[in-house]
């Protein structure tokens, strides 16, 4: 124990997260790949080779472990594992087994996500989550993958299942210009149907029925194979606050965006909380970042304290253990990223001391990667990537988070600065 340090509970898990489509590259059988290549596209640029983690996973995991982090959350790509309806690729599963083994041999605990936004294109063309058969299809995929993969004990079924509850409407509302309507039309042409079958545009009733059922069936399928795996779903949770006089709007937003979902998964092994910022409900009926407050490049209010607030909220509503499965800061200013993480963790430490049962923290993201519709612009990574050479560059914030992880405490000085590595082992870690 270091003098003045804020220690985290014994066994607290420190990690970083990614998602297959955002880092692997070449995810050609997915709906996102098709949508990226629609013309005009909803996506600023295609994912292409991404940061080639499909081939470089061992090096990336070595950096993660070398930094002092102990866990890696990544997703297994359904579009690779089930390239056609009911047809499973053992070669794709072998790849993910190699990823799991690479974690284990470097002392990292693998945390698997089964669905992180992307779907196999064949399934999206059958309506995706809007298809009544979706929950069973998802459960079949979960069961098959769990039977074939060994060596992990924590799994997330669906990433940010509630996200469409609060982004579909604003996304649709923005889609009024001729250009935007052309983008939707091109997307619907590649999907062979309404945009609703792309996860981010899933209608509310579909999330609350098919989506929650898919989570439950997926969880049960995983546990039917390996009951000891800890299974949860992850939610996007913004810190919902209100100007005086706007509390009713805030409460409505809390109920609409989180309440039903949280109530449905109370009693799961854990709930994955993913927080980036806060949203303030205003007296004029609008909601958004606090006026005049600094923003990140994502346009979010730069508000590290949001994380502790959302963990308190989720804990009070569910009394179910929490894993922070994502939290991070996007921008070029790595010193600010480091400070953001420190401030978020300092507040989180306070929440844990009050009794909020938080079991781990995963920074988003391990690498600068493909930020969906925004392409390669926003940079969340602990590790920068030169996408022409795929060379990795460890940022000071990564070293600082590694120091926190090693100490299991805040208040320990970062020992090192940015290091550059090539394709081989990390330099000097
Ligand atoms: C998602 C990630 C995304 C991140 C930053 C979360 O909504 O799970 O895939 O990159 O936020 O926007």
């Amino acid at each position: 124990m270091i003098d003045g340090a804020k220690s985290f509970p014994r066994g607290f898990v420190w990690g970083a997260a990614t998602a297959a489509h955002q880092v692997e590259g070449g995810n050609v059988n997915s709906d996102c790949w098709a949508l990226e290549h629609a013309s005009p596209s909803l996506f600023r640029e295609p994912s292409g080779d991404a940061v080639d983690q499909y081939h470089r996973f061992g090096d990336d995991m070595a950096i993660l472990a070398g930094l002092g982090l102990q866990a890696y959350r990544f997703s297994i790509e359904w579009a690779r594992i089930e390239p056609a309806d009911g047809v499973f690729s053992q070669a794709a599963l072998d790849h993910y087994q190699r990823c799991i083994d690479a974690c284990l041999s470097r002392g990292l605990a693998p945390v698997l996500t089964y669905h992180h936004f992307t779907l196999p294109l064949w399934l999206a063309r059958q309506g995706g989550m809007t298809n009544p058969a979706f929950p069973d299809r998802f459960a079949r995929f979960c069961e098959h993958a769990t039977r074939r993969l060994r060596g992990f004990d924590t799994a997330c079924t669906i990433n940010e299942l509630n996200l469409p509850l609060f982004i579909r409407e604003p996304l649709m509302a923005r889609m009024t210009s001729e250009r935007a309507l052309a983008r939707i039309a091109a997307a619907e042409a590649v999907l062979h149907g309404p945009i609703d079958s792309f996860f981010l545009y899933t209608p509310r009733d579909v999330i609350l029925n098919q989506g929650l059922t898919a989570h439950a069936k997926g969880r049960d399928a995983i546990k039917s194979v390996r009951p000891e795996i800890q299974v949860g779903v992850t939610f996007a949770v913004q810190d919902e606050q209100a100007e005086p006089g706007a509390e009713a709007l805030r409460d409505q937003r809390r109920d609409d965006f989180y309440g039903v979902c949280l109530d449905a998964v109370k009693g799961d092994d854990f709930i994955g909380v993913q927080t980036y910022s806060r949203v303030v409900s205003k007296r004029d009926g609008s909601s958004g970042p606090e006026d005049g407050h600094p923003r990140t490049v994502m346009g979010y209010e730069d508000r590290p304290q949001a994380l502790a607030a959302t963990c308190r909220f989720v804990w009070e509503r569910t009394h179910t253990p929490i894993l922070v499965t994502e939290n991070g800061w996007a921008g070029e200013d790595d010193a600010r990223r480091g400070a953001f993480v420190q401030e978020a963790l300092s507040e989180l430490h306070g929440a844990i001391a009050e009794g909020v049962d938080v079991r781990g923290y995963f920074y988003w993201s391990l690498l600068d990667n493909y930020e969906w519709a925004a392409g390669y612009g926003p940079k969340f990574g602990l590790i920068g990537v030169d996408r022409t050479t795929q060379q990795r560059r460890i940022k000071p914030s990564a070293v600082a988070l590694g120091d926190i992880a090693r100490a299991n405490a805040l208040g320990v000085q970062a020992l090192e600065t940015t290091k550059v590595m090539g394709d081989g082992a990390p330099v000097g870690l």
Side-chain angles (χ1 to χ4, degrees):
M1 166 82 176
I2 294 151
D3 208 21
K6 293 180 173 177
S7 292
F8 283 75
R10 190 186 298 270
F12 192 84
V13 179
W14 296 95
T18 60
H21 190 77
Q22 295 177 268
V23 293
E24 286 181 345
N27 189 19
V28 298
N29 283 322
S30 66
D31 55 352
C32 277
W33 184 275
L35 291 166
E36 290 159 21
H37 292 274
S39 181
S41 176
L42 295 165
F43 291 74
R44 188 161 296 163
E45 58 185 319
S47 53
D49 285 341
V51 293
D52 193 27
Q53 193 176 79
Y54 198 80
H55 301 104
R56 294 166 196 263
F57 60 91
D59 291 345
D60 289 342
M61 291 171 192
I63 301 175
L64 181 60
L67 287 166
L69 296 168
Q70 305 129 4
Y72 184 36
R73 173 178 174 238
F74 60 96
S75 70
I76 56 172
E77 180 55 57
W78 191 352
R80 293 187 196 274
I81 295 173
E82 192 178 353
D85 190 357
V87 177
F88 290 91
S89 162
Q90 186 55 43
L93 286 159
D94 289 345
H95 169 79
Y96 290 113
Q97 188 60 55
R98 286 192 288 275
C99 293
I100 293 170
D101 293 344
C103 278
L104 297 174
S105 67
R106 289 161 179 79
L108 297 169
V111 172
L112 266 56
T113 304
Y114 283 67
H115 174 289
H116 194 126
F117 294 177
T118 49
L119 283 182
L121 182 56
W122 63 263
L123 181 52
R125 286 183 169 166
Q126 294 177 13
M129 203 177 266
T130 71
N131 183 329
F134 182 86
D136 289 326
R137 295 257 162 75
F138 182 59
R140 180 178 68 179
F141 161 64
C142 289
E143 195 202 312
H144 189 90
T146 312
R147 272 194 201 292
R148 301 300 171 98
L149 297 172
R150 308 163 305 278
F152 63 101
D153 60 16
T154 308
C156 307
T157 53
I158 301 177
N159 181 70
E160 295 192 342
L161 175 56
N162 67 325
L163 182 66
L165 300 182
F166 59 88
I167 64 163
R168 179 187 150 95
E169 226 178 273
L171 282 174
M172 295 303 265
R174 278 211 300 267
M175 293 292 177
T176 51
S177 69
E178 211 173 295
R179 182 82 183 154
L181 292 172
R183 290 196 170 104
I184 293 280
E188 294 190 332
V190 302
L191 293 171
H192 297 180
I195 190 72
D196 302 14
S197 64
F198 176 35
F199 175 71
L200 298 177
Y201 288 78
T202 310
R204 178 177 179 82
D205 62 310
V206 174
I207 294 293
L208 297 184
N209 294 296
Q210 310 266 94
L212 284 169
T213 305
H215 158 64
K217 288 196 168 189
R219 176 198 61 208
D220 295 349
I222 295 168
K223 284 192 171 272
S224 74
V225 180
R226 293 250 320 275
E228 69 279 12
I229 296 179
Q230 299 291 293
V231 186
V233 62
T234 83
F235 292 132
V237 194
Q238 310 177 102
D239 177 17
E240 298 286 343
Q241 296 298 337
E243 284 178 357
E247 291 82 359
L249 175 59
R250 177 203 58 201
D251 293 347
Q252 185 67 53
R253 290 174 57 89
R254 284 182 173 166
D255 284 347
D256 287 352
F257 302 157
Y258 319 104
V260 185
C261 287
L262 289 172
D263 294 346
V265 305
K266 255 185 222 171
D268 276 6
D269 294 327
F270 68 89
I271 295 174
V273 169
Q274 310 198 162
T275 296
Y276 289 89
S277 189
R278 115 175 131 168
V279 172
V280 180
S281 293
K282 308 194 177 158
R283 277 186 299 277
D284 64 6
S286 66
S287 53
E290 179 84 306
D291 297 330
H293 200 97
R295 311 237 184 133
T296 72
V297 298
M298 297 296 287
Y300 309 150
E301 186 179 322
D302 186 341
R303 177 88 184 165
Q305 302 88 338
L307 178 63
T310 58
C311 288
R312 287 188 181 98
F313 168 70
V314 169
W315 174 249
E316 275 159 25
R317 183 125 187 174
T318 64
H319 282 91
T320 299
I322 292 170
L323 264 188
V324 175
T325 38
E326 290 184 25
N327 173 245
W329 188 92
E332 301 288 341
D333 180 357
D334 189 61
R336 178 59 202 148
R337 182 182 347 275
F340 179 95
V341 171
Q342 287 272 344
E343 288 164 38
L345 290 173
S346 177
E347 293 281 328
L348 188 65
H349 181 270
I352 294 170
E354 289 161 19
V356 178
D357 186 0
V358 183
R359 307 264 171 104
Y361 175 89
F362 288 75
Y363 180 82
W364 182 273
S365 174
L366 176 63
L367 297 144
D368 286 343
N369 61 35
Y370 185 64
E371 183 50 34
W372 307 109
Y376 289 98
K379 296 191 168 33
F380 279 93
L382 296 172
I383 299 170
V385 181
D386 174 339
R387 290 193 59 253
T388 53
T389 61
Q390 296 290 0
Q391 190 182 48
R392 275 50 174 162
R393 180 179 55 85
I394 301 171
K395 301 180 190 176
S397 59
V399 177
L401 181 58
D403 288 344
I404 295 168
R406 283 184 216 271
N408 197 31
L410 285 169
V412 182
Q413 200 64 33
L415 300 172
E416 318 225 15
T417 50
T418 310
K419 293 164 194 149
V420 180
M421 65 166 287
D423 288 348
V427 179
L429 283 170

